[in-house]
Amino acid sequence: MAFVIGDSCIGCGSCAGSCPVGAISENGGVFVIDGSQCISCGACAGSCPVGTISEE
């Protein structure tokens, strides 16, 4: 099951830096996770300072 970034994303980019497979990219000032690349490791969720990343 892939992870998703919620609407409260502040666009800091810490999640993108923590993703080991590069599944996270910026889109219009916020970040999105490509579900087809996500390996469900949860590294991004642990790095998010506002806790907006959760399992889909």
Side-chain angles (χ1 to χ4, degrees):
M1 182 169 284
F3 280 74
V4 293
I5 300 174
D7 293 337
S8 58
C9 175
I10 59 173
C12 69
S14 64
C15 58
S18 70
C19 181
V21 295
I24 304 174
S25 61
E26 185 190 3
N27 184 8
V30 295
F31 286 79
V32 293
I33 299 172
D34 180 344
S36 67
Q37 291 184 336
C38 178
I39 60 171
S40 300
C41 68
C44 57
S47 71
C48 181
V50 295
T52 194
I53 302 174
S54 60
E55 284 189 273
E56 190 171 44

